[in-house]
Amino acid sequence: AQKITQTQPGMFVQEKEAVTLDCTYDTSDPSYGLFWYKQPSSGEMIFLIYQGSYDQQNATEGRYSLNFQKARKSANLVISASQLGDSAMYFCAMRAFYLKVTFGTGTKLQVIP
Amino acid sequence: DGGITQSPKYLFRKEGQNVTLSCEQNLNHDAMYWYRQDPGQGLRLIYYSQIVNDFQKGDIAEGYSVSREKKESFPLTVTSAQKNPTAFYLCASSPDRTGNQPQHFGDGTRLSIL
C-alpha cells in the first residue's frame, strides 16, 4: 500500500516571503518518485518538481525546491519569494509499485499582498 | 500542439444511467490514468493503464470501468453502480513506463446527477 499525507489544509504567506508545504509518505516500494503539482482555481494541474527515491540531491526548479528527507519519509515543497500568482492548491503525489500514482489531499496556499 | 483532450467539459447523468467520459492524447504516452476529485479534496485514483489492452484498478474503482483499445484513448464509463458520481474527473498520461516523468493532465470533466 502507499499513502501520501498533507497535514496543512490551508496556509497563508506574505508576498516575497518563503513558505514550506509539508508532505509525508509511506510505501514499501524501495523505488518511488515524488511529485508536486499546483492547481489554480481554473482546475488545471501544473507540474512543479520531481524527486526520485535514489536521487542524492534535493530537486530544485526555479523558485521551487523539494526538501527530501528519506529517513523521515518527508518531501516538503519550499516556495521562495512568494508571488500573488502562487495562490492555489498544491498537491504532493507519489509514484510507487511501477506506475501507480497517488495524491495527497492538498494544501490551499494564499499569498497576502 | 500535443496534449490531452477530455470531453465533454460538463456532463449530466440521470439516475440508473451509464455515461462515458472521453480522454484522448496525442503525446504518444504509454501510461494513462483516471482520477476523481471532490470539492476541496485531493485526487483519488480510479484506474490506470500502462500499455494497450491492459489496465489496473486504483483505489476507488468500484462503479467505474475503462478500456484501452488504442494507445491514444482511455475512456472511463461511470456506471449506475456508482451511487455518488458527482465530481470533477481528470485524465492524465505519462511518457514512459518507468514513472519518472510527470503526468500531463487534461482540463477535466465535471459530472453531475440530474
Side-chain angles (χ1 to χ4, degrees), chain A residues 95-112:
Chain A
R95 187 272 311 153
F97 300 109
Y98 199 35
L99 277 179
K100 186 178 182 182
V101 180
T102 53
F103 283 73
T105 52
T107 296
K108 184 174 183 178
L109 178 67
Q110 295 184 65
V111 181
I112 305 167

Side-chain angles (χ1 to χ4, degrees), chain A:
Chain A
Q2 59 193 68
K3 187 177 181 181
I4 288 277
T5 302
Q6 295 181 254
T7 58
Q8 305 156 313
M11 292 277 288
F12 290 92
V13 64
Q14 204 76 37
E15 194 178 6
K16 300 180 185 178
E17 297 292 313
V19 63
T20 298
L21 306 184
D22 294 342
C23 173
T24 58
Y25 61 91
D26 190 23
T27 182
S28 55
D29 187 351
S31 176
Y32 55 89
L34 296 155
F35 302 83
W36 277 92
Y37 290 87
K38 171 184 178 182
Q39 187 181 42
S41 56
S42 56
E44 68 204 90
M45 295 290 286
I46 302 168
F47 165 70
L48 297 177
I49 196 166
Y50 167 80
Q51 180 86 41
S53 58
Y54 296 118
D55 293 343
Q56 296 297 312
Q57 293 188 322
N58 287 346
T60 60
E61 289 285 349
R63 295 187 297 113
Y64 304 107
S65 60
L66 199 153
N67 184 3
F68 181 47
Q69 298 190 43
K70 196 169 183 177
R72 294 186 177 184
K73 295 188 175 182
S74 74
N76 298 339
L77 176 71
V78 180
I79 305 174
S80 63
S82 297
Q83 302 171 356
L84 295 177
D86 293 336
S87 295
M89 285 289 288
Y90 288 81
F91 293 101
C92 181
M94 175 172 64
R95 187 272 311 153
F97 300 109
Y98 199 35
L99 277 179
K100 186 178 182 182
V101 180
T102 53
F103 283 73
T105 52
T107 296
K108 184 174 183 178
L109 178 67
Q110 295 184 65
V111 181
I112 305 167

Side-chain angles (χ1 to χ4, degrees), chain B residues 54-89:
Chain B
D54 185 53
F55 48 83
Q56 287 75 41
K57 292 182 178 180
D59 300 316
I60 57 164
E62 186 174 350
Y64 300 96
S65 66
V66 293
S67 63
R68 188 86 188 275
E69 297 177 1
K70 298 185 296 182
K71 186 175 185 178
E72 58 270 23
S73 178
F74 192 42
L76 172 75
T77 296
V78 184
T79 75
S80 56
Q82 174 49 246
K83 297 306 179 188
N84 184 22
T86 297
F88 185 50
Y89 291 85

